[in-house]
Amino acid sequence: MKDLNRGTCLLEMKGIDKTFPGVKALDQVELRLESGTIHALMGENGAGKSTLMKCLFGIYRADAGEILVEGRPVHFSGPKEAMEGGVSMVHQELNQVLKRSVMENIWLGRFPKRCGFVSHREMFGRTKAIFDELGIDLNPRSIIGNLSVSQRQMVEIAKAVSYNAKILVLDEPTSSLTNEEVEHLFRIINKLRADGVGIIYISHRMEEILKISDRVTIMRDGRWIGTESASDLTVDKIIKMMVGRDLTHRFPPKTNTPGEDLLVVRELSGMYSPTCQDVSFTLRKGEILGVAGLVGSRRTELLETIFGIARHSKGTISKNGMPINNRNSSDAIRNGFAMLTEERRATGIFAGLDVMFNSVIANINSYKRYGFLSGKRMSEDTKWVIDSLKVKTPSRNTYIRNLSGGNQQKVIIGRWLLTDPDVLLLDEPTRGIDVGAKAEIYQLIINLAAEGKGIIVVSSEMPELLGISDKIMVMSGGRLAGILDIAAATQEEIMRLAAKYV
């Protein structure tokens, strides 16, 4: 990569406005990025961070304002033109061709050719050279769908480097990574910074922001609030700027009291490898059971097996003393289970449909009468979801894809609450959600437990598990490594157990 002059202005966004029907998403927003710096962009969900970056990347066209790249006005017509102009973006929800190779994903649309034919040898060589430069240990011929999330993110960063990007936008790059994977990512980011690349880093993990960033810009309600040196900021100050108030308690006080046994799982194993093996545990009424583990520990597979999305080869599940056989998700819903999936965009929302559809779909049979759906009851329940979970949306008819990630998550949680489940399986419920929305979801989880519901929470954030759980179950290599009472649980002990069967 060609080194850039450090400290020069790479990007200026001045007076950026963007309005959608019923919502002013951006209002006179400012951003300045210098070469060789990591500039964090922070704000609650709905603050306008992603919209601002989409205006830069050519996905949206700003209604007003000016975008300058190295002093030249630009109006990118789309992502391809932006990347060719030196601007690349690694999205939180990776959009890759999963059945093709790593190198094909990097060079898609611009394959190197010899005599009119694609040269796989040259493609391999170019990809390997970039990987060697960045310290990425991957085979360019590997099928990308077989890689972990962290490896796929590395591929996207390598793709940005292949375009000789001067400006790199990273949107929640560590939301699904382990501590070791985060450190590897930081090494790559710091190398790019040393080469003079300007990096815009979007994250809700404040300790991470303070560790890696040079400057921080805070947005709130579509407006620029302030830009400061990371060294002058604290977590409390960031929170106050983001939410406009002090947030003294990241985790609400526990009001739930675990009672009698609700869910008993014995020697449960999935049918198709890799999956969970011989897992046994008990969930009580009113209990929040956290599930910790490294990437690849099969936490998600455990929830999918319980919910019937994945079949089990052996083991038993009982609820309230009665055997349960969830052969599919319909069985699970009828049996009083609900599952919030990890990949919100891929398996959670119906992006091209409205908030009402996304709210009522899991409970759709309850609205039928004489073969017809009751629009009135569906509207009433959707209003309950919006009001109870404080969903920010112009109306129930708004496409859910136009909401922020946090508000999408609230709608999905509301969808499951309408089914009145006894057991909630929550896979990364606060992934990619800001600190204010997290506090609301934590409170909701605790309130549901206080009502007697049993809740299983998978999370990659250990402070989150330690803050809301009554017990923590640690998975390692698909097996149960141990169950800790919260009073005795520490991050060190959790990590020791997480590495037990690796």
Side-chain angles (χ1 to χ4, degrees), residues 321-375:
M322 300 294 293
I324 293 291
N325 184 20
N326 293 333
R327 295 166 299 177
N328 50 48
S329 57
S330 296
D331 281 351
I333 294 169
R334 281 193 295 271
N335 289 327
F337 290 77
M339 181 171 173
L340 188 77
T341 58
E342 177 183 10
E343 294 290 343
R344 179 172 58 239
R345 180 180 173 187
T347 57
I349 64 170
F350 296 86
L353 295 169
D354 59 24
V355 171
M356 183 164 78
F357 180 92
N358 277 274
S359 297
V360 303
I361 183 60
N363 203 34
I364 197 72
N365 289 330
S366 70
Y367 305 110
K368 291 180 181 178
R369 190 172 184 183
Y370 306 120
F372 296 94
L373 292 172
S374 170

Side-chain angles (χ1 to χ4, degrees), residues 251-252 254 288 442 445-446 457 463-470:
F251 303 103
K254 302 289 292 298
I288 302 171
Y442 296 150
I445 290 171
I446 291 169
V457 180
E464 180 171 276
L465 291 178
L466 292 168
I468 65 171
S469 303
D470 298 302

Side-chain angles (χ1 to χ4, degrees), residues 254-271:
K254 302 289 292 298
T255 57
N256 59 304
T257 304
E260 61 191 41
D261 291 353
L262 172 61
L263 179 72
V264 178
V265 175
R266 290 288 176 263
E267 298 182 353
L268 187 67
S269 296
M271 181 169 289

Side-chain angles (χ1 to χ4, degrees), residues 157-178:
I157 293 173
K159 182 177 180 178
V161 170
S162 75
Y163 276 96
N164 290 315
K166 307 177 187 74
I167 298 166
L168 176 60
V169 181
L170 300 174
D171 189 358
E172 294 287 352
T174 64
S175 60
S176 294
L177 306 189
T178 64

